[in-house]
Amino acid sequence: MAGRRVDPRIKLRHIACFLEVARFKSVVNAADALHISQPAASKTIQELEQLLGSDLFDRSRRKLFLTPFGEVFHRYAATSVDALRQGIEAASGAHETTTVKVGALPTVSARVLPEAVRLFTAENPGVHARVVTGPNDYLLSLLRTGDADLVIGRMADPGAMVGLAFEHLYFERVAFVVRAGHPLLQERDFSLASIEKYQVLMPTPDSVIRPFVDRMLVGHGIGAVRDEVETVSDAFGRAYVRQSDAIWIISQGVVGDDVARGQLALLPVDTGETLGPVGFTTRAETVQSLAAAALMQAVRDIADREREKG
């Protein structure tokens, strides 16, 4: 039996607009990226929803989030667009790309990726690496559309891993970080409840480590932190805690060098319950290019070296 045909009224412009709105969670930003007007983008999404017979976005909040139906459609739409891009390149006789596009969470950007990229570029002249950082859901959206070849960071929730594959590199925990000389470092009987007196830099709600942090704080009877500042920017967090008494809750790999140099310090908190796997996330059905495979091997080598150092 022949498969059902795709409704011919659904055009590539519908899919492209949908993917951009899903990526930015905003019709306005998606319209800017597509170089069309905001009304045109809104109309395109409405047309697609009418053709599919279901809402793709939850419009009850300031930002647009995918509905359950939208989540399912997004996985297939993103994979299809990436496959179409690869088909066009193959049909036109395009040579293998010389740019490896990597999405990296802050913990990897600071810990293993710099040295891995240095080794990769030294051993592969003429091949370039493009590193993009940001929240995990944003990086996974780039991966699904082919705008990233791989993502390196903590493994996402199972629901976000449909159509994706994960390769474990090492485990990492969350740390509670302060400036050198912070008053809490002098407390003889330190307890986690002591942080309630200070401003706290928290990971954003859409970050991979936020659920671990929330569970840990609630488990220690801390329902809300004082003067919470949400950020995934390692540059901002590093600068802010150095000039204040704020406490920064962040993946330990982000601040490893700062702690080793004595510029920042770890509070004596047992964060074993926040331990999580860090590794590669890739599209399950895609064979990596030779260049991407070479960069992945460089990351593995550096990760092995880091594990041996303890």
Side-chain angles (χ1 to χ4, degrees), residues 86-96:
Q86 293 184 44
I88 292 172
E89 291 176 353
S92 63
H95 296 292
E96 184 178 347

Side-chain angles (χ1 to χ4, degrees), residues 96 127 171 187 208 231 304:
E96 184 178 347
V127 181
F171 287 101
E187 288 197 6
V208 179
T231 181
D304 288 342

Side-chain angles (χ1 to χ4, degrees), residues 9 20 73 94 108 126 141 174 186 197 207 220 238 257 262 292:
R9 294 174 297 174
E20 288 299 281
F73 184 71
V108 180
S141 72
V174 169
Q186 312 305 319
K197 297 179 292 185
S207 66
H220 285 79
R238 184 173 288 110
D257 288 343

Side-chain angles (χ1 to χ4, degrees), residues 279-300:
F280 299 116
T281 300
T282 56
R283 295 184 297 279
E285 77 288 347
T286 302
V287 177
Q288 293 293 344
S289 67
L290 293 177
L295 178 55
M296 291 174 71
Q297 187 56 52
V299 172
R300 292 187 192 101

Side-chain angles (χ1 to χ4, degrees), residues 9-273:
R9 294 174 297 174
I10 298 177
K11 308 297 184 182
L12 186 58
R13 65 180 177 84
H14 291 114
I15 306 301
C17 186
F18 164 71
L19 292 175
E20 288 299 281
V21 173
R23 179 159 72 101
F24 289 107
K25 297 184 176 65
S26 164
V27 173
V28 174
N29 293 339
D32 289 341
L34 293 168
H35 305 293
I36 61 177
S37 68
Q38 184 269 328
S42 296
K43 181 180 178 182
T44 300
I45 295 299
Q46 291 170 1
E47 289 175 354
L48 180 59
E49 289 179 324
Q50 290 171 0
L51 292 170
L52 294 174
S54 187
D55 289 339
L56 294 167
F57 295 97
D58 178 357
R59 296 173 172 82
S60 64
R61 291 175 282 181
R62 185 171 61 86
K63 288 187 176 182
L64 296 179
F65 290 89
L66 292 168
T67 62
F69 177 84
E71 290 276 4
V72 174
F73 184 71
H74 183 272
R75 293 167 193 151
Y76 288 98
T79 300
S80 299
V81 169
D82 182 44
L84 179 60
R85 180 190 291 115
Q86 293 184 44
I88 292 172
E89 291 176 353
S92 63
H95 296 292
E96 184 178 347
T97 178
T98 57
T99 300
V100 182
K101 299 164 289 185
V102 183
L105 292 179
T107 177
V108 180
S109 299
R111 183 175 179 183
V112 300
L113 195 56
E115 180 63 10
V117 169
R118 188 189 69 79
L119 290 176
F120 167 72
T121 54
E123 295 174 0
N124 296 272
V127 181
H128 307 287
R130 180 185 302 155
V131 180
V132 179
T133 60
N136 198 52
D137 59 347
Y138 168 70
L139 297 180
L140 292 183
S141 72
L142 296 182
L143 180 63
R144 291 186 183 281
T145 58
D147 294 308
D149 298 309
L150 60 139
V151 170
I152 316 176
R154 281 216 181 198
M155 184 172 67
D157 290 334
M161 291 296 294
V162 176
L164 303 177
F166 182 80
E167 177 188 333
H168 175 257
L169 291 172
Y170 58 89
F171 287 101
E172 186 168 63
R173 67 184 67 210
V174 169
F176 288 65
V177 186
V178 295
R179 63 173 176 80
H182 192 282
L184 285 179
L185 297 173
Q186 312 305 319
E187 288 197 6
R188 292 184 178 180
D189 299 316
F190 173 83
S191 68
L192 192 57
S194 301
I195 73 171
E196 292 182 301
K197 297 179 292 185
Y198 297 91
Q199 190 176 45
V200 177
L201 272 60
M202 290 278 287
T204 56
D206 58 354
S207 66
V208 179
I209 64 172
R210 181 60 181 263
F212 295 91
V213 173
D214 286 340
R215 284 195 295 269
M216 182 175 179
L217 293 177
V218 171
H220 285 79
I222 303 174
V225 297
R226 187 176 75 83
D227 297 335
E228 176 181 316
V229 177
E230 293 180 344
T231 181
V232 292
S233 169
D234 54 321
F236 172 79
R238 184 173 288 110
Y240 198 85
V241 295
R242 283 179 179 173
Q243 62 188 24
S244 71
D245 283 339
I247 298 164
W248 187 16
I249 305 178
I250 190 67
S251 293
Q252 190 164 330
V254 175
V255 295
D257 288 343
D258 304 271
V259 172
R261 290 193 294 264
Q263 296 170 339
L264 297 176
L266 305 180
L267 290 177
V269 181
D270 181 2
T271 58
E273 63 191 274

